Amino acid sequence: MIIALLCITGALILLDKYAFGEFGISQPLIAGTILGALFGNLDAGIFIGAMLQLIFLAGLPIGREIPPDGQSGGIIGVGSYLLLRISNAEGHALLVAILFALAGALIGGQLEIVTRRFNEKMYRRFLKTGEHLVRCHLLGTLTAFIRGLCVMLPFFALAYYITIPPALPTMSRSLLMTISISVGCANGLYLFFKKSKIIYIVVGVLCGLVSVVL
Amino acid sequence: MRLGFCRLVKVFFSSLFLQTSWSFFSMQSMGFLVTLMSGVRKDQHADIREAHKGFFNTHPYMASYIVGATLRAHDEGKTPVNDIQRFIAIAQTSFASAGDLLFWRTVRPALLLLATILAVKIGIWGSLVFLVCYNVMHLYHRIRGIQDGYARGPNVIYVIKSARFTVVRRVFETIGALMCGLLCALVSLQTHALLIIPIAALILILMIKRLSSVIITIAIMLIMIIMLLV
């Protein structure tokens, strides 16, 4: 039941990516907050969402470029963590959830290509008949929803049923933060580094260090 | 004919579905047609469908400017269809690059960085800050775009040089740079902190070399696994 609920909620949130509005609720941080609040672990939802957000910050859907689907990755990461925690220790759940999120983002990107090809068929059908424009267009919402279900269901089912052997390494929150902040810094520098902005980056670093020391 | 409130709401609501049927062949063509048709009389539908069924692609929030200007041209009925098509062809690329630069490369990542730092430090407020700030800006462009497009017609293209694009972009570039530095406020001084420098440098090099995002994602997975094993 919880798997179905997570899949449906996740697929509905994922509609925000292309199918409706693009209000930003499918971003990993926001999706993590929503899933965490709905499924009873707000802190974990925000934390994992924030870490995945830093990792997927610079995935820009510009032109025909289809980057890994960070939005699907975020939902899969948080949802899998919530399911894995039912029967696993935190360190194991965190490790597997993050790996699922990264794999889910890669698979999600590929499924997006399939969805777009289906939309192309709908466009050709519209061109052929000249009718049913709205129907052909809005069918995209259904295919986007189904894509969401297809990409999430295997990960959530796996997360619900597996028990991770205690011998496997665990991931601590501080290690995940280190990796995510590193990737976040790289993403941030890639997007915002300019000669004229160096001063602001330095001011930011100084303020950050002061807040850490205090 | 004028752009009344009901018409504005109809066009705005349809524009929220602009990318629903995005495809490699025609991109947002069906979404653009549906949005346009929501704002014209029924007897104009066949003409609009015939005139604009080709390729269309722009930034989803910026499409409103083009939709507004196109609606005005069809309402007036003076501009030849060829000229409207030419305007759309020019406007879509200009607004696409302006919108991508403003929203995808600047406003969204800057606000997400700010929201992430706030979320880790103070919880749910970080997410709320992002949702409110981002949607105020995004909805402003969507709604004002239809109005401005309708009021200015083809001249709406010059809006790209206005403060709502240039100044806002500069401000958010500064916020983004500041937040990028502030990320180190999230670092715990107890463990692993110094590893941030080499990992960030490695990922940055991969990005500057313009490697595909898929390869970068796989590299992050490998880094994670190596760090766990070591």
Side-chain angles (χ1 to χ4, degrees):
Chain A
M1 185 65 182
I2 191 171
I3 299 176
L5 278 175
L6 263 170
C7 280
I8 291 168
T9 316
L12 285 174
I13 292 173
L14 202 57
L15 287 183
D16 172 72
K17 187 176 180 192
Y18 282 116
F20 178 69
E22 303 189 52
F23 299 105
I25 58 168
S26 59
Q27 290 298 322
L29 174 65
I30 313 299
T33 308
I34 295 170
L35 288 179
L38 289 178
F39 293 90
N41 199 342
L42 181 61
D43 281 349
I46 291 176
F47 176 75
I48 298 169
M51 295 304 109
L52 290 170
Q53 187 66 70
L54 291 175
I55 291 173
F56 292 119
L57 192 71
L60 306 171
I62 291 175
R64 285 170 191 263
E65 164 76 8
I66 300 183
D69 186 0
Q71 283 95 326
S72 293
I75 296 168
I76 289 169
V78 176
S80 301
Y81 178 82
L82 296 172
L83 292 168
L84 282 159
R85 277 298 278 139
I86 296 172
S87 53
N88 294 286
E90 192 193 354
H92 284 131
L94 207 53
L95 169 67
V96 175
I98 298 298
L99 289 177
F100 274 13
L102 295 172
L106 294 174
I107 294 168
Q110 293 306 307
L111 272 181
E112 212 163 284
I113 295 170
V114 176
T115 313
R116 288 172 175 198
R117 293 219 169 106
F118 177 82
N119 290 341
E120 196 172 311
K121 280 183 188 163
M122 289 295 106
Y123 176 70
R124 286 186 197 281
R125 178 175 289 182
F126 154 67
L127 281 185
K128 212 172 178 182
T129 60
E131 297 295 327
H132 311 305
L133 168 66
V134 177
R135 197 187 300 167
C136 289
H137 174 56
L138 291 182
L139 210 62
T141 317
L142 186 67
T143 52
F145 183 75
I146 293 170
R147 179 186 84 91
L149 290 180
C150 291
V151 72
M152 285 168 210
L153 187 63
F155 287 104
F156 289 163
L158 207 59
Y160 185 71
Y161 290 111
I162 59 168
T163 307
I164 303 157
L168 273 181
T170 59
M171 177 175 274
S172 64
R173 282 194 174 208
S174 65
L175 180 62
L176 175 60
M177 277 186 95
T178 305
I179 296 169
S180 298
I181 292 169
S182 310
V183 182
C185 281
N187 282 328
L189 288 172
Y190 180 71
L191 290 168
F192 298 112
F193 184 82
K194 277 182 182 175
K195 265 185 188 171
S196 60
K197 304 293 173 197
I198 290 175
I199 182 74
Y200 297 106
I201 296 176
V202 174
V203 170
V205 171
L206 292 175
C207 293
L209 288 177
V210 168
S211 82
V212 169
V213 173
L214 292 178
Chain B
M1 212 167 169
R2 65 185 194 88
L3 185 73
F5 179 73
C6 288
R7 206 166 160 217
L8 174 70
V9 171
K10 264 193 228 154
V11 175
F12 164 71
F13 187 73
S14 304
S15 77
L16 295 177
F17 290 91
L18 185 84
Q19 301 220 89
T20 302
S21 56
W22 202 104
S23 69
F24 290 110
F25 183 69
S26 65
M27 296 202 163
Q28 301 158 338
S29 150
M30 281 204 282
F32 180 61
L33 264 181
V34 169
T35 310
L36 270 184
M37 281 163 68
S38 68
V40 296
R41 294 188 313 272
K42 280 215 164 155
D43 59 301
Q44 289 177 293
H45 280 195
D47 292 341
I48 297 250
R49 203 160 44 208
E50 205 47 46
H52 304 296
K53 66 183 177 188
F55 173 92
F56 180 84
N57 190 48
T58 192
H59 188 279
Y61 306 159
M62 299 295 132
S64 304
Y65 292 95
I66 303 171
V67 168
T70 311
L71 280 179
R72 178 179 167 148
H74 281 287
D75 280 358
E76 288 177 344
K78 292 175 191 165
T79 321
V81 172
N82 280 348
D83 288 355
I84 302 176
Q85 286 171 337
R86 205 171 302 133
F87 159 72
I88 293 173
I90 295 166
Q92 62 179 297
T93 46
S94 311
F95 277 109
S97 61
D100 285 347
L101 267 177
L102 180 68
F103 276 98
W104 292 169
R105 281 195 75 101
T106 313
V107 173
R108 193 172 72 179
L111 279 174
L112 280 171
L113 273 175
L114 169 69
T116 304
I117 294 169
L118 289 176
V120 173
K121 290 284 179 191
I122 55 172
I124 197 167
W125 289 104
S127 305
L128 293 176
V129 164
F130 170 77
L131 277 180
V132 172
C133 297
Y134 184 70
N135 283 308
V136 164
M137 296 192 60
H138 138 227
L139 293 174
Y140 171 82
H141 277 278
R142 282 215 199 246
I143 296 169
R144 195 68 200 274
I146 302 168
Q147 292 174 323
D148 277 357
Y150 198 84
R152 297 184 190 201
N155 290 331
V156 75
I157 209 158
Y158 299 111
V159 166
I160 291 172
K161 289 187 173 174
S162 68
R164 82 178 76 155
F165 283 83
T166 51
V167 176
V168 170
R169 200 179 137 214
R170 242 176 282 140
V171 168
F172 276 90
E173 274 175 356
T174 307
I175 294 174
L178 202 62
M179 290 306 128
C180 188
L182 257 180
L183 263 184
C184 65
L186 300 181
V187 177
S188 151
L189 286 181
Q190 295 155 356
T191 48
H192 320 299
L194 284 176
L195 282 172
I196 287 176
I197 298 165
I199 298 174
L202 177 67
I203 300 291
L204 190 60
I205 289 168
L206 295 180
M207 291 172 125
I208 291 168
K209 293 255 177 202
R210 294 199 177 275
L211 261 79
S212 113
S213 347
V214 173
I215 293 174
I216 295 174
T217 309
I218 293 169
I220 296 168
M221 283 170 103
L222 289 176
I223 290 171
M224 214 169 266
I225 292 167
I226 290 167
M227 284 182 74
L228 282 168
L229 294 177
V230 172

